[in-house]
Amino acid sequence: MDRATYKGEVTSAFNEAAARYDRLGVEFFTPMARRLVDHARPEPGDRVLDIGCGAGASVFPAADRVGPRGSVLGIDIASAMVEQTVEQARAQGRDNVTARVMDAERPDLPERSFDVVMGGYSVIFLPDAPAALSRYVPLTADGGRLAFSTPVFDSGTFPFLPPVFTDLIPRSLLRDLPPEWHPERLQQRFNSWLEDPEDLVRAVESAGYREVSVVDEQIDMVARSGEAWVDWSHTQGMRLLWEHLAEAQSRELRRTLITGLDAMRSGDGPLTIEVPVRYVTARVPR
């Protein structure tokens, strides 16, 4: 799949999902984004750039930290996501928040205009993420900080999803997907530099950063039910998988996931899944 097609699919998927993104009874992206901001450590007066801002999960906690003397700019390739962030900023009277439609692989921004650059589950999806990271070094002030989050990749688990889904998603359902979406191809693309922390550190250093740190944490994903989780999965990255399944396959996977996830609940209580999340931080040399 060429870059233009890939970006077109991603843009279309998130434009369509924007109105419901992270709003269907599942808590995950919000607490994960808050932890990203904790790792990024923006200070009062800082200028922050959020790559792939989505609906603003990291933007607004960062805005709280930088205060009225600071600023937060969110960029996203999906215009509907940007509109969500802009509308929320306007409704909250956030004068220190702006958002723009932009291809994060080729950021069109002034040099040395940010003290902190961060990206929540976004940077790694750029077609050549390590090369893209290098383009943010000139945009960051000397000594400025980089922080991004990524799934914890393991060659024995289904890409991007918590380990419990490895046994829940039948591999037979995936044989008719385009080659680029087969787990083996995804693992080749992502695990090659993200699975081993040492490889990840080397990739970030090669992009021009120093003092690289990799920290793994468990973030609770909480859903009202298995059905709520499946409905929610259509509004985030897994939507790209759903859209490539035939109707019969989609129905089968939906039934399998709901049954398996509900079996993990305690009575009528919510579904809670521990999700390993990797936080990467680094600095631009002075």
Side-chain angles (χ1 to χ4, degrees):
M1 184 185 301
D2 61 47
R3 291 191 179 194
T5 301
Y6 170 79
K7 290 179 182 179
E9 285 197 358
V10 172
T11 302
S12 176
F14 282 98
N15 274 334
E16 292 179 16
R20 298 181 299 152
Y21 185 76
D22 211 23
R23 298 177 183 175
L24 292 177
V26 177
E27 183 177 282
F28 176 60
F29 286 119
T30 297
M32 182 179 67
R34 288 184 181 133
R35 285 299 295 149
L36 174 62
V37 175
D38 289 341
H39 284 281
R41 296 186 292 108
E43 300 175 354
D46 274 352
R47 304 159 298 169
V48 178
L49 173 65
D50 187 17
I51 304 168
C53 65
S58 298
V59 166
F60 296 101
D64 288 338
R65 292 211 179 196
V66 302
R69 294 188 296 107
S71 63
V72 182
L73 169 64
I75 60 173
D76 202 291
I77 199 170
S79 60
M81 286 295 191
V82 170
E83 289 170 8
Q84 291 286 327
T85 300
V86 170
E87 289 177 7
Q88 188 175 349
R90 185 181 300 116
Q92 296 181 15
R94 302 269 194 165
D95 295 333
N96 62 346
V97 170
T98 55
R100 293 171 56 184
V101 177
M102 189 176 297
D103 182 349
E105 190 180 25
R106 301 279 179 182
D108 181 18
L109 296 163
E111 291 191 358
R112 304 291 182 247
S113 54
F114 301 99
D115 302 294
V116 178
V117 174
M118 61 184 189
Y121 264 43
S122 58
V123 172
I124 64 168
F125 291 103
L126 300 176
D128 186 348
L133 280 173
S134 68
R135 299 185 188 109
Y136 287 90
V137 173
L139 308 185
T140 310
D142 293 347
R145 299 179 296 286
L146 169 74
F148 65 92
S149 59
T150 168
V152 175
F153 288 90
D154 188 313
S155 56
T157 62
F158 195 90
F160 307 115
L161 293 174
V164 297
F165 288 90
T166 301
D167 294 330
L168 289 177
I169 300 179
R171 294 300 175 109
S172 60
L173 283 181
L174 309 178
R175 65 168 61 101
D176 296 326
L177 291 176
E180 294 82 3
W181 299 106
H182 284 199
E184 294 76 15
R185 289 287 291 273
L186 293 174
Q187 288 171 352
Q188 181 181 9
R189 175 182 171 188
F190 293 99
N191 292 50
S192 61
W193 70 286
L194 293 168
E195 181 173 0
D196 187 331
E198 292 184 1
D199 291 337
L200 178 51
V201 168
R202 281 192 291 268
V204 176
E205 288 178 340
S206 295
Y209 296 90
R210 297 294 178 265
E211 300 178 34
V212 184
S213 173
V214 177
V215 176
D216 293 348
E217 298 181 1
Q218 297 289 336
I219 302 294
D220 282 345
M221 176 186 288
V222 182
R224 291 195 303 264
S225 64
E227 182 177 21
W229 188 93
V230 172
D231 289 343
W232 172 81
S233 73
H234 285 267
T235 72
Q236 37 93 349
M238 192 173 169
R239 182 186 182 94
L240 295 167
L241 170 61
W242 289 111
E243 289 182 344
H244 284 98
L245 292 175
E247 184 176 349
Q249 293 174 318
S250 181
R251 286 198 304 268
E252 180 182 348
L253 181 57
R254 178 181 178 86
R255 181 171 56 251
T256 299
L257 288 176
I258 290 174
T259 300
L261 292 172
D262 279 341
M264 300 177 190
R265 298 167 62 193
S266 177
D268 294 329
L271 167 69
T272 301
I273 300 171
E274 284 193 343
V275 181
V277 176
R278 178 161 289 170
Y279 294 95
V280 182
T281 59
R283 281 192 180 273
V284 170
R286 295 185 181 276

